[in-house]
Amino acid sequence: MMDCEIAEDGEVYIEDADIIAETTLDDEDLPDCSDEDDEYDEQADFDEDLGDSIYKFTGHTSGVFALACSPTNPLLVATGGGDDRGFLWKIGQGDWGAELGGHKDTVTSIAFSSDGQFVASGGFDSVVNVWDASGNFKCKLEVPVPDEKMKKKAPPTGGFEWVSWHPTDHVVLAGSNDFSFFGKTNDFSAGMWGLNTGKTICTGSSDLTLRIWSSETGDPIYVVGGNICKFFRLIFQFAYMLVVGTLSPGHSKKVKCIGLSRSPSFFPCAATGGEDEKLVIWDLERSSPRSICNLESEVTCLTWIGTSKYVAAGCADGDIVIWDGLSGDNVKTFRGHSECIESLSVSCNQDFLVSGSASASGDATDSHGTARVFEIAGFR
C-alpha cells in the first residue's frame, strides 16, 4: 500500500519512494481549462438538426406543401407533399404513421372535416381522396369527364389547388386552377361529386373576383371584382353584399395571405402578409393598419394562434415569426427550416405550431422539405 502524508490543510502528499516514473507533458497535451467549464452549457442540449423545433417528421422525400392539425386530436397531423404522398402522423411518435397514397402528382392541399372524422387530400393529378382519421381509405373523387356536347366548352383541368370542408357538415369542396370547383357531400362510400344540400359557397380566384354560388344550380349568385383587399357584410340569402371596408394602403406588393383574428377580447382585426416582406395588423373597425411589421423576407403564410392575440407568420427564408397583434411587437422567432415555409397549422389545444417547408433537393435524408413542430403553449 502507498504511504501518504496528510497535511493540516487536508492536502495529500505522496512520498518520493512511491513515484514509479516521471513523464514530461507539453502544453498541447493538457486539456483546456476555463471558468466556464463549471457552468451549464446551454448549447450542449441544442440539436442542430431540430433547431428550435421539438419534433421533426421526415416521412416525405420532397417539399411539404400542405398540412393540417386535427380539430379533435391535439397530436394528429396530416401532411401532403411534392413526393405525391400524404401522411397521417402523431407529434412525437415517429414510429406511428399512415400513408395517404393514391395520388400521381403533388399533393397540394389537405384538410380535416370539422368533427375530425375525415381527412381529404387534393393534388395536381385532379384527384381528391377521402380517408377516415385512422388512415382508412373511403373514396376517390375525380374531375367529371364532360359529355360529348360539353367537351368543346369544358376547359382542361389543371389539378386541384385547394380542398375545404363545410364548418359543420361532411361536405368537401375542391378548387382547380382552371377556375372550376367541385363538391361532394355525406356518402363517401360512393365516388361521385354532388351537392344537393341547399347550401351556398363562397370562392375567391386569381381572376380578381369573389363569387357566391348556389350549390343547387352551380350558378353564381353574386360577383365582386377588384384587385385590392376588401371585406364584406353578407346579407341574409345573399340578396346583396355591402362593402364595409377596403384594406389600403398597407402593402406595396402582392398580398400572399390573410387571416381574421378570432379573439373575443379585443377589437376586430385581421393580419395580411405580402411579397413586400411585411406583416400588417389591421383594425377592421377603422379599415386602417394598426401596426406594420417589417420582416427579412416575404410572408408566405400565416395563422392566428387560437383565440389569442398572437399571429404566426411563415417566411420565404424558413423563419417563423410570432407577432403580438395588439402591440405589433416581434415576440419570438422560430428557426429550423432553411427553405420557404409553405404552410402552418395550430393544434387544437394550442400547444403546438406545425410547419411545412419546401425542399432544396429530393434526397430523403435531406433536412429540408420537412414538417416541424414548435412549442407555443406560452402564446395562448
Side-chain angles (χ1 to χ4, degrees):
M1 175 179 288
M2 182 175 65
D3 294 328
C4 300
E5 179 181 351
I6 302 178
E8 293 181 358
D9 58 6
E11 294 189 9
V12 179
Y13 295 92
I14 299 175
E15 298 290 340
D16 291 342
D18 295 319
I19 298 175
I20 299 174
E22 295 183 9
T23 301
T24 302
L25 296 176
D26 296 331
D27 291 341
E28 295 179 356
D29 298 325
L30 297 176
D32 294 332
C33 181
S34 67
D35 294 336
E36 298 178 354
D37 288 344
D38 294 332
E39 299 178 359
Y40 175 73
D41 183 3
E42 294 183 354
Q43 293 299 317
D45 286 343
F46 183 80
D47 188 331
E48 292 183 358
D49 189 44
L50 285 176
D52 294 319
S53 63
I54 61 171
Y55 180 73
K56 181 177 70 172
F57 179 74
T58 58
H60 289 281
T61 57
S62 188
V64 178
F65 298 112
L67 64 84
C69 291
S70 166
T72 56
N73 185 335
L75 298 181
L76 186 61
V77 182
T79 53
D83 53 5
D84 310 343
R85 296 188 294 171
F87 285 96
L88 279 172
W89 51 275
K90 290 183 178 179
I91 295 173
Q93 299 182 25
D95 58 346
W96 190 95
E99 183 172 347
L100 309 180
H103 287 284
K104 297 180 180 179
D105 206 338
T106 297
V107 178
T108 59
S109 51
I110 202 158
F112 282 94
S113 60
S114 59
D115 58 6
Q117 291 187 29
F118 298 104
V119 61
S121 60
F124 278 150
D125 55 359
S126 304
V127 168
V128 170
N129 288 323
V130 180
W131 317 75
D132 67 19
S134 297
N136 298 308
F137 179 75
K138 304 302 291 185
C139 72
K140 175 182 289 188
L141 302 170
E142 298 180 277
V143 174
V145 178
D147 57 31
E148 291 298 326
K149 294 181 180 180
M150 294 298 295
K151 279 185 177 180
K152 294 182 179 180
K153 296 182 179 180
T157 181
F160 288 122
E161 294 278 356
W162 55 264
V163 293
S164 181
W165 291 84
H166 186 275
T168 60
D169 204 352
H170 289 158
V171 176
V172 63
L173 297 173
S176 172
N177 60 15
D178 66 3
F179 309 118
S180 58
F181 72 95
F182 306 87
K184 174 72 175 73
T185 185
N186 295 328
D187 184 11
F188 293 114
S189 62
M192 298 174 60
W193 293 102
L195 276 179
N196 298 319
T197 59
K199 294 181 173 63
T200 50
I201 303 163
C202 179
T203 61
S205 171
S206 57
D207 64 359
L208 308 183
T209 65
L210 173 75
R211 295 171 183 260
I212 305 297
W213 305 81
S214 167
S215 64
E216 294 180 345
T217 65
D219 297 326
I221 302 172
Y222 201 91
V223 180
V224 178
N227 59 357
I228 56 178
C229 188
K230 298 182 179 181
F231 55 101
F232 307 86
R233 180 173 291 117
L234 304 183
I235 307 303
F236 179 66
Q237 290 184 340
F238 301 103
Y240 58 92
M241 296 173 63
L242 297 177
V243 179
V244 297
T246 299
L247 303 183
S248 180
H251 291 282
S252 59
K253 294 183 179 180
K254 182 186 296 184
V255 176
K256 299 283 287 187
C257 47
I258 186 169
L260 294 172
S261 167
R262 295 185 287 125
S263 174
S265 61
F266 59 98
F267 61 92
C269 66
T272 56
E275 291 181 349
D276 55 1
E277 303 180 357
K278 292 180 181 179
L279 175 74
V280 181
I281 309 296
W282 299 90
D283 183 337
L284 296 184
E285 292 181 341
R286 297 175 175 80
S287 299
S288 61
R290 178 179 177 89
S291 58
I292 297 178
C293 316
N294 295 305
L295 292 91
E296 296 182 357
S297 66
E298 75 174 62
V299 181
T300 54
C301 53
L302 64 82
T303 183
W304 289 86
I305 300 177
T307 58
S308 74
K309 64 179 180 177
Y310 298 105
V311 59
C315 302
D317 62 1
D319 286 352
I320 302 169
V321 185
I322 309 295
W323 294 87
D324 186 320
L326 282 177
S327 67
D329 293 334
N330 176 357
V331 295
K332 181 70 176 181
T333 298
F334 289 120
R335 293 187 171 90
H337 294 289
S338 59
E339 299 296 324
C340 177
I341 305 298
E342 299 287 350
S343 52
L344 292 171
S345 186
V346 176
S347 63
C348 59
N349 63 357
Q350 299 171 39
D351 279 351
F352 308 111
L353 175 68
V354 186
S355 58
S357 76
S359 176
S361 73
D363 185 356
T365 62
D366 193 349
S367 61
H368 308 313
T370 59
R372 291 176 180 266
V373 180
F374 301 89
E375 195 169 23
I376 56 168
F379 300 107
R380 292 175 179 168

